[in-house]
Amino acid sequence: MKVLWFHLMPYQDLPEDFKDKHNSVWVDIDPALFDPLRGHEHYHEYMDQLEYAATAGFDGICVNEHHSNAYGLMPSPNLIASTLARNTRESAICVLGNSVALYNPPTRVAEEMAMLDCISGGRLIAGFPVGTPMDTCYAYGQNPSNLRERYYEGIDFVLQAWHADKPFAFNGRYNQQRYVNCWPRPIQKPNPPVWIPGGGSVETWQMCAQRSFVYANLSYFGHQASMTHIKGFWGEMQRLGKQPNPYQAAFLQFVGVAETRAEAEKLYGGPADYFYNRCLHTDPSYANPPGYTSEATVRARVTSQVLRAAEESRKATRSGGGAKFFDEGHVVIGSPDEVAEKLLSVCKEMHVGHLLLLLQFGNMSRDLTRYNTDLFAQKVLPQIRHLYEDEWEDHWWPTGMPKNLPKTQTQSRTTVGAAAE
Amino acid sequence: MSSYKERFVETPLGQTRIWEKGRGRKVGYFGGLYGVPQWTPFLEKLSETRRVIVPSLPGFPGGPSSEPLDGLLDWIIAAHDAFVAAGLERADLIGASVGGALAAECAALWPDTVRKLVLIAPFGLYDQNEPVADVFAQRPGQAAALVSQKPTELASYLSVPKDGDAGEWEVQALRASIASAAVIWPLGNTRLIKRIPRIGAPTLLVWGENDRVIPASYAKRFADAITGKTRVRLVKKAGHMADFDDPKGVVRSIDSFLAA
């Protein structure tokens, strides 16, 4: 199993009465709440944490894209990823990802990801989320009635731009461009591995199954919430007669490790409360613009993760919060052995080979993040990474630099696996 | 309400449902944000004096799929196709809300095709100082209160009929909201301002005084920009869906305008 260290980059100074005084953490978040000097500290601290995770034994480090959002300070994940690509040596750089429908032309995405692949030496994982309604339809004003179509076309555009061996014209429904010519070119051939972060959209399951992309279920509500969606994906794989390689799936889990469960509750209760009761204070008005949830999904009656977050947030407001995030598995906590056992069990049950971890969440301090990361790397990681190792091959992992390069190039900065010999 | 007739006509996008009732001079109706999922008291009242013809626009209940439509031009052509296929050429046309925006476009681009035009709180223009409200970013259950002064009646009108299939009804409503978004997302500004002077038909602007979506002051903006003779009628105790909120009052105004 591959284990990746994921950062959302939350703003840590939302006031205690945020939920009462403010409408939402997203879209209409009060600009006055952002202190740029704290922003300076946050970015450096968070990039330090990602770089540290890369040296601590995690297989990959992971960034993502949000807009007008106080729990996700990365409107441009590529900016962060470029510094990580330069300051790390071995870990995969997982960009989960770029919402291609937001970029006109999508050439920009093809180019920047190719740059990241070159800088990192073939360590890029290229993630393409459709993007949440808040990010895409509200913060970026895209029309929800054609967002998904634009998104699918954008992915085609980027892949063609990477594959083409000469300049070509792209004549799409939403993008027409006379000269598509992606310079620079990605190191990984034919393209960096493609991961699709998704929730419960039937179309996303179908696309991942049909096109051999990784389906990465990103839920803030832990393995219990992911279970339905991951099972939906495997159902689609089975229906299409595809091999159930666990490395074609990924899921996100909040984790807090300590010497004992009681200690973990004490340490992580505050940061979890900050995340679930301030960062997830979202306005359901923004959760379901027309067309964002497709007709097929409405027919399949799969609740959207965003709608769920908004509803959960309102429910929590009504009940005054509470610490159910531990009891319901939104955050897995415990001693290293307990956490390892739990993660092994849920990964096996979901048949998932890529585990994305949020070991920093909410307003977790620098020290506690380091403690959580170290304890996980030293005492949990060795117990779980053997899973699937002898049974399945990971076809969705970066290849790194090609082997047998001329001497000058083998002295480059980077390696993935055995690539730098 | 006594029954209306249903028939289907072929348009370039596919089968299009036409509802029809009444005798006398023909008048067409393009529905608003939700289309026309059920016959309304307004249409019933109107049909007492006229032959009311209601073609379904693409994506809205009874209409062909709106999926093939790309830009606004496609939408305008599709609306015109439905208008012609319903036998409404040179008839009077009423358009409400989203349907009002499309009715205004048809009257602007095919000036001879509409005899008299009635616009009920149409989308299409935008003033930064008095912005159009966001009809899409609404919490479940709140949209009805935004668009109507009779939210309970509206919610009941929009809910699945006793003999209907709840799942299909939900999908039909979803398609209608997608169609509305396709035309007016994100601000309701279709840049009609560039074409509105081409409207030469005599035009009645009907506006709910308490319209919380498009302020009633927009009635004057429309009236000032239209080249044809215009009349403005503000409807008391009515919101964005003035024809739903006060069917009798709105029909009275329309009757007197069309008869003049």
Side-chain angles (χ1 to χ4, degrees), chain A residues 117 121-124 187-189 193 397-403 416-419:
Chain A
D117 206 41
R123 291 184 287 140
L124 177 72
I187 285 175
Q188 298 182 77
K189 300 295 176 213
W397 197 251
T399 55
M401 298 286 274
K403 296 175 185 178
V416 162

Side-chain angles (χ1 to χ4, degrees), chain A residues 128-148:
Chain A
F128 298 122
V130 65
T132 71
M134 286 70 96
D135 293 313
T136 55
C137 300
Y138 291 105
Y140 263 44
Q142 297 298 301
N143 195 320
S145 71
N146 60 26
L147 180 78
R148 272 179 198 278

Side-chain angles (χ1 to χ4, degrees), chain B residues 42 45-46 233 246-258:
Chain B
F42 165 76
K45 185 76 192 159
L46 194 63
R233 163 93 167 91
D246 181 11
K248 283 183 187 165
V250 173
V251 167
R252 235 184 351 260
S253 303
I254 292 175
D255 262 341
S256 106
F257 169 73
L258 294 182

Side-chain angles (χ1 to χ4, degrees), chain A residues 92-265:
Chain A
I93 307 290
C94 181
V95 180
L96 266 188
N98 286 186
S99 301
V100 279
L102 302 184
Y103 300 95
N104 183 9
T107 314
R108 181 75 178 189
V109 174
E111 289 168 340
E112 290 192 356
M113 285 193 163
M115 288 172 72
L116 288 171
D117 206 41
C118 286
I119 297 169
S120 66
R123 291 184 287 140
L124 177 72
I125 291 168
F128 298 122
V130 65
T132 71
M134 286 70 96
D135 293 313
T136 55
C137 300
Y138 291 105
Y140 263 44
Q142 297 298 301
N143 195 320
S145 71
N146 60 26
L147 180 78
R148 272 179 198 278
E149 292 297 318
R150 294 175 69 95
Y151 162 66
Y152 296 133
E153 185 177 302
I155 294 175
D156 287 340
F157 186 113
V158 171
L159 289 174
Q160 285 182 39
W162 284 340
H163 296 166
D165 54 10
K166 56 181 181 229
F168 66 98
F170 189 91
N171 179 33
R173 186 172 179 183
Y174 304 100
N175 301 278
Q176 286 96 37
Q177 205 172 321
R178 174 71 69 181
Y179 303 101
V180 182
N181 189 4
C182 181
W183 256 79
R185 322 277 306 157
I187 285 175
Q188 298 182 77
K189 300 295 176 213
N191 53 264
V194 174
W195 291 23
I196 306 292
S201 151
V202 175
E203 282 90 345
T204 304
W205 299 338
Q206 286 170 342
M207 177 174 69
C208 291
Q210 282 163 357
R211 304 189 65 176
S212 232
F213 298 153
V214 167
Y215 171 67
N217 186 261
L218 307 187
S219 167
Y220 298 137
F221 304 102
H223 52 90
Q224 288 180 0
S226 293
M227 199 71 79
T228 322
H229 294 161
I230 298 268
K231 282 187 173 162
F233 169 66
W234 289 125
E236 200 54 36
M237 289 285 283
Q238 190 177 24
R239 202 179 63 78
L240 293 168
K242 305 279 184 181
Q243 208 184 28
N245 185 329
Y247 289 111
Q248 204 179 334
F251 95 102
L252 176 73
Q253 181 65 56
F254 289 63
V255 172
V257 202
E259 294 305 325
T260 63
R261 185 182 165 92
E263 178 72 7
E265 275 187 24

Side-chain angles (χ1 to χ4, degrees), chain A residues 142-143 173 283 295 299, chain B residues 67 70 139 168 175 181 185:
Chain A
Q142 297 298 301
N143 195 320
R173 186 172 179 183
D283 183 342
E295 188 178 319
R299 286 186 188 278
Chain B
E67 201 284 330
D70 285 323
R139 293 184 192 176
E168 288 305 317
R175 284 184 183 151
W185 189 278

Side-chain angles (χ1 to χ4, degrees), chain A residues 313-370:
Chain A
S313 155
R314 297 287 149 190
K315 262 191 259 168
T317 309
R318 285 197 294 274
S319 66
K324 64 177 183 177
F325 32 76
F326 293 147
D327 298 335
E328 294 187 1
H330 301 171
V331 184
V332 167
I333 55 160
S335 69
D337 289 351
E338 287 168 339
V339 167
E341 189 189 340
K342 185 74 192 171
L343 292 177
L344 275 178
S345 130
V346 297
C347 287
K348 278 186 200 162
E349 191 180 349
M350 282 194 271
H351 196 57
V352 162
H354 294 123
L355 177 60
L356 308 165
L357 294 173
L358 282 167
L359 292 165
Q360 193 288 338
F361 47 83
N363 58 358
M364 195 186 293
S365 71
R366 181 189 284 262
D367 289 346
L368 186 55
T369 304
R370 172 69 73 97

Side-chain angles (χ1 to χ4, degrees), chain A residues 23 137-138 141-146 149 173-174 283-286 288-291 293-295 298-299 301 311 314, chain B residues 66-70 134 136-140 142 166-168 170-171 174-175 177-179 181-186:
Chain A
N23 181 55
C137 300
Y138 291 105
Q142 297 298 301
N143 195 320
S145 71
N146 60 26
E149 292 297 318
R173 186 172 179 183
Y174 304 100
D283 183 342
S285 304
Y286 301 127
N288 205 14
T293 304
S294 70
E295 188 178 319
V298 168
R299 286 186 188 278
R301 293 287 180 273
E311 283 163 2
R314 297 287 149 190
Chain B
S66 62
E67 201 284 330
L69 302 177
D70 285 323
D134 188 345
F136 300 108
Q138 296 297 320
R139 293 184 192 176
Q142 289 187 342
E168 288 305 317
E170 187 184 341
V171 167
L174 172 69
R175 284 184 183 151
S177 60
I178 291 172
V183 179
I184 62 168
W185 189 278

